[in-house]
């Protein structure tokens, strides 16, 4: 689901073959068809346990066989469906394409709003009145948001703050205060730790399996 949402924002794209048709109606589209298929099949798989639960709730005593027919359906179909999902996910991960410049553009459009708390604190440290500064930032933020949403123009919040003498204490460092790296916390380290502690051991344990070429193809 997240890949589909990010594809809509043009931040990522799943694999797309040279002759693949993204949409039968609109030739320019690159629909995330693999991810759509995963979501569709996953929805089916998530519904299968209901059959087992209903059987368990309604089965008579121990010797009735009213579970037999339905088990012959949901057990094999569940495994087969999940196998297809895993095959699709492997294919998607292997060819996933990220567009960093689009991601950066979206991040930079929102970062001025996120940076207002830091700007406020820095100005208070420099002796500014917190309530007065807070109200000024609120007004500037609302006005900048109105320009973005009402006129379709870029976010000009930083320009508004740069032109307001109330924020003179940070005027010379506004550009550095909206550096995206300042807002990611420990995310890079957490990713590295997760890969080292969780993923790498799994890959090492299953190294022989990973050498086996898959015979399942993905057709879109």
């Amino acid at each position: 689901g997240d890949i589909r949402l990010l594809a809509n924002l043009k931040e990522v794209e799943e694999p797309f073959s040279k002759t693949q048709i993204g949409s039968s109606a609109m030739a320019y589209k690159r629909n995330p068809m693999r991810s759509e298929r995963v979501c569709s099949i996953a929805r089916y798989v998530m519904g299968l346990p209901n059959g087992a639960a209903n059987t368990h709730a309604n089965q008579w005593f121990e010797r009735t066989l009213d579970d037999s027919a339905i088990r012959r359906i949901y057990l094999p179909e569940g495994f087969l469906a999940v196998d297809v999902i895993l095959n699709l996910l492997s294919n998607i991960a292997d060819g996933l394409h990220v567009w960093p410049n689009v991601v950066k553009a979206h991040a930079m459009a929102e970062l001025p709003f996120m940076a207002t708390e830091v700007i406020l604190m820095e100005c208070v440290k420099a002796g500014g009145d917190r309530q007065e500064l807070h109200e000024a930032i609120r007004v500037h933020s609302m006005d900048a948001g109105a320009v973005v949403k009402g006129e379709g123009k870029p976010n000009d919040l930083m320009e508004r703050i740069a032109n307001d003498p109330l924020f003179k204490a940070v005027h010379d460092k506004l550009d550095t205060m909206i550096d995206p790296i300042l807002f990611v916390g420990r995310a890079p380290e957490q990713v590295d730790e997760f890969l080292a502690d969780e993923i790498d051991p799994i890959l090492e344990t299953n190294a022989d399996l990973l050498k086996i070429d898959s015979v399942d193809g993905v057709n879109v």
Side-chain angles (χ1 to χ4, degrees):
D2 287 347
I3 291 177
R4 294 170 63 189
L5 291 173
L6 293 174
N8 177 63
L9 296 173
K10 296 180 174 58
E11 291 188 4
V12 305
E13 284 180 347
E14 63 177 35
F16 197 88
S17 63
K18 191 172 183 179
T19 58
Q20 181 178 328
I21 305 299
S23 169
S24 59
M26 292 165 278
Y28 70 91
K29 295 189 72 175
R30 295 174 63 123
N31 290 344
M33 299 169 70
R34 294 167 175 80
S35 297
E36 290 171 346
R37 192 177 299 175
V38 167
C39 290
S40 180
I41 300 174
R43 196 175 302 131
Y44 168 72
V45 172
M46 288 187 290
L48 292 179
N50 288 331
N54 286 327
T55 298
H56 180 70
N58 295 287
Q59 191 175 22
W60 294 357
F61 305 115
E62 294 181 0
R63 297 182 60 81
T64 59
L65 299 176
D66 63 318
D67 64 330
S68 179
I70 192 169
R71 287 176 63 187
R72 294 169 188 264
I73 297 173
Y74 66 64
L75 286 177
E77 288 198 355
F79 280 104
L80 289 170
V82 170
D83 182 69
V84 172
I85 290 173
L86 294 174
N87 189 45
L88 285 166
L89 289 175
S90 176
N91 180 266
I92 293 170
D94 186 55
L96 189 68
H97 193 100
V98 179
W99 297 103
N101 288 332
V102 179
V103 175
K104 181 179 180 180
H106 290 159
M108 295 307 296
E110 297 298 324
L111 269 179
F113 294 124
M114 297 176 63
T116 54
E117 185 176 359
V118 178
I119 292 171
L120 176 62
M121 290 189 297
E122 288 297 313
C123 289
V124 170
K125 288 178 183 178
D129 181 271
R130 188 187 185 285
Q131 290 302 113
E132 185 179 18
L133 290 164
H134 185 282
E135 176 60 15
I137 284 182
R138 187 190 69 80
V139 172
H140 287 320
S141 297
M142 295 301 108
D143 291 343
V147 168
V148 172
K149 293 178 285 188
E151 302 178 30
K153 293 181 180 179
N155 187 343
D156 64 353
L157 178 57
M158 288 297 102
E159 287 83 354
R160 293 173 184 272
I161 291 176
N163 293 324
D164 189 334
L166 274 177
F167 301 95
K168 184 178 180 181
V170 296
H171 281 174
D172 60 344
K173 52 184 177 180
L174 278 177
D175 289 341
T176 61
M177 296 178 77
I178 56 171
D179 184 345
I181 199 65
L182 300 176
F183 298 87
V184 299
R186 291 194 66 253
E189 291 81 4
Q190 288 175 319
V191 171
D192 291 338
E193 291 169 6
F194 178 76
L195 292 175
D197 297 341
E198 304 294 338
I199 302 302
D200 288 345
I202 295 175
L203 295 177
E204 185 177 347
T205 301
N206 297 280
D208 291 339
L209 292 176
L210 294 173
K211 296 177 183 177
I212 301 175
D213 292 331
S214 173
V215 295
D216 297 320
V218 174
N219 298 313
V220 292

